[in-house]
Amino acid sequence: GAVVSQHPSWVICKSGTSVKIECRSLDFQATTMFWYRQFPKQSLMLMATSNEGSKATYEQGVEKDKFLINHASLTLSTLTVTSAHPEDSSFYICSATGRGNTEAFFGQGTRLTVV
Amino acid sequence: RKEVEQDPGPFNVPEGATVAFNCTYSNSASQSFFWYRQDCRKEPKLLMSVYSSGNEDGRFTAQLNRASQYISLLIRDSKLSDSATYLCVVDAGGTSYGKLTFGQGTILTVHP
């Protein structure tokens, strides 16, 4: 299957700082990328959908000004958690699909801890 | 009602047992159905897609009933390595390729 690389795999940051998470498709062009969040003992919840070259579409209840998503190229999408707070501590996972491809490929996830 | 609802679990079974997971979904427009497994602190990994005709992959059998909007997964001859959280996953329907809705997951523990 296709490879999606997510970086960093874990990060600890201070409250009030911003953290950027990268999601790269290594061997295909990702026309659409999805960002999920998973709190302990809960399932993955979709945060937003990003299409290359256009603004992301956020799910209800997700603050677009707090979770900035950029999908400037067909191989890279970034999620920036701005002014992070302890309640933002979670497991963030991206997935990507290519043109005409219905399967989604997942990155390895990023475990964010805000202290 | 949750969009994708799974058995609450957890399931704790001995090696060699047969275990079945059930799932229901609410979006009748969904076209693609999957079972993923997720190990602790890891990303979910596709276990198998689910087709209307039912499909089997080794010890795993998946069934889909579109009329009832019901999906199942059967694991035969459980192994210790099958211990994981099993996620029932459904697509959003329409042209939202790759946009997935996850069930809350069912924890399976296989013990010696």
Side-chain angles (χ1 to χ4, degrees), chain B residues 13-108:
Chain B
V13 303
E15 273 187 290
T18 295
V19 60
F21 301 141
N22 302 313
C23 170
T24 56
Y25 62 95
S26 61
N27 184 359
S28 58
S30 294
Q31 295 294 319
S32 301
F33 310 89
F34 312 92
W35 283 100
Y36 278 73
R37 81 170 263 167
Q38 185 175 28
D39 294 290
C40 190
R41 294 178 172 268
K42 300 280 189 179
E43 77 277 20
K45 292 190 186 297
L46 179 64
L47 180 64
M48 58 197 304
S49 300
V50 188
Y51 305 112
S52 295
S53 54
N55 48 301
E56 187 174 309
D57 183 3
R59 299 180 293 108
F60 300 85
T61 301
Q63 296 276 355
L64 167 65
N65 184 322
R66 285 186 187 268
S68 303
Q69 294 182 198
Y70 169 89
I71 307 164
S72 66
L73 176 68
L74 184 75
I75 304 175
R76 292 181 298 278
D77 189 23
S78 299
K79 309 291 184 191
L80 295 177
S81 57
D82 293 334
S83 297
T85 297
Y86 288 82
L87 302 165
C88 177
V89 183
V90 173
D91 78 55
T95 57
S96 303
Y97 297 124
K99 184 177 179 181
L100 304 174
T101 302
F102 287 78
Q104 70 268 38
T106 302
I107 297 172
L108 171 66

